[in-house]
Amino acid sequence: MENTGELGVSLNTGFNGELYAFQVAPSLVYLKGNSQFELGMGFNPFDRADQTLLSGDVSYKYFPNGIGRKFNLYFVSQLAIIHNQRNAYYPATYNYLFLNAGYGFQIKLFDGAYLGTNVKMGTFTYNKSSENPHEGFQSTGFFDETGFNLDFQLHLNYFF
């Protein structure tokens, strides 16, 4: 692998344990040495009529042994923002902030193409806004409530 850096694209699919949502996130990827950076925008292809999910994320992957082998292990960290608009009987808007880290592996399919998976866990917070005056739908700000999250991802990368 050259040390000049490579540009590529990735199709990431994942399941978020907090939102119980399947997401697809096309991403732009930059690989230099043992480090890989990703910037992506995501959506839920199975959105219900009363709910919309949109996301943006930044990921960093570190390959301790490089990515030139058939099987490559890596460490991953991710910062994700997810907008969840619920238009049910009591409409509410949630904006989540996730910070996750984990590990994964990928398989080299052919020169420049990789198929991989990872598992991440971390923390999240959210803000909520609603026009409903009921106490259970009161608006909350970021860091008023926090929690832990588990996230699974499958990806297909291609470098030019």
Side-chain angles (χ1 to χ4, degrees):
M1 177 85 26
E2 297 177 7
N3 205 15
T4 58
E6 294 185 57
L7 195 59
V9 293
S10 180
L11 181 62
N12 300 305
T13 60
F15 181 79
N16 183 297
E18 171 61 21
L19 299 175
Y20 297 111
F22 176 77
Q23 292 210 272
V24 174
S27 301
L28 186 60
V29 181
Y30 179 72
L31 175 69
K32 182 165 176 99
N34 292 358
S35 296
Q36 179 177 307
F37 302 91
E38 291 186 25
L39 178 63
M41 300 290 287
F43 61 94
N44 182 347
F46 306 113
D47 274 344
R48 299 184 319 230
D50 63 344
Q51 177 175 297
T52 302
L53 285 171
L54 299 172
S55 68
D57 64 74
V58 176
S59 297
Y60 171 74
K61 294 178 182 172
Y62 178 73
F63 297 85
N65 300 320
I67 74 164
R69 302 174 185 194
K70 181 72 173 171
F71 297 99
N72 305 293
L73 297 173
Y74 63 87
F75 298 101
V76 60
S77 60
Q78 180 184 44
L79 176 65
I81 298 172
I82 298 178
H83 174 77
N84 186 356
Q85 179 74 40
R86 298 177 185 173
N87 298 318
Y89 187 67
Y90 294 116
T93 300
Y94 293 81
N95 294 300
Y96 288 87
L97 181 62
F98 291 93
L99 181 59
N100 295 319
Y103 63 93
F105 74 93
Q106 69 181 18
I107 300 168
K108 184 176 185 177
L109 299 174
F110 53 87
D111 197 28
Y114 300 88
L115 176 67
T117 187
N118 63 57
V119 60
K120 301 180 291 283
M121 62 185 269
T123 186
F124 72 92
T125 186
Y126 64 90
N127 75 352
K128 174 178 71 172
S129 61
S130 175
E131 296 177 10
N132 187 336
H134 189 276
E135 185 177 318
F137 291 91
Q138 226 173 3
S139 295
T140 60
F142 279 117
F143 304 105
D144 287 347
E145 294 185 30
T146 60
F148 291 101
N149 179 56
L150 188 60
D151 191 273
F152 301 96
Q153 186 180 57
L154 181 67
H155 64 85
L156 180 62
N157 291 1
Y158 181 76
F159 294 97
F160 306 108

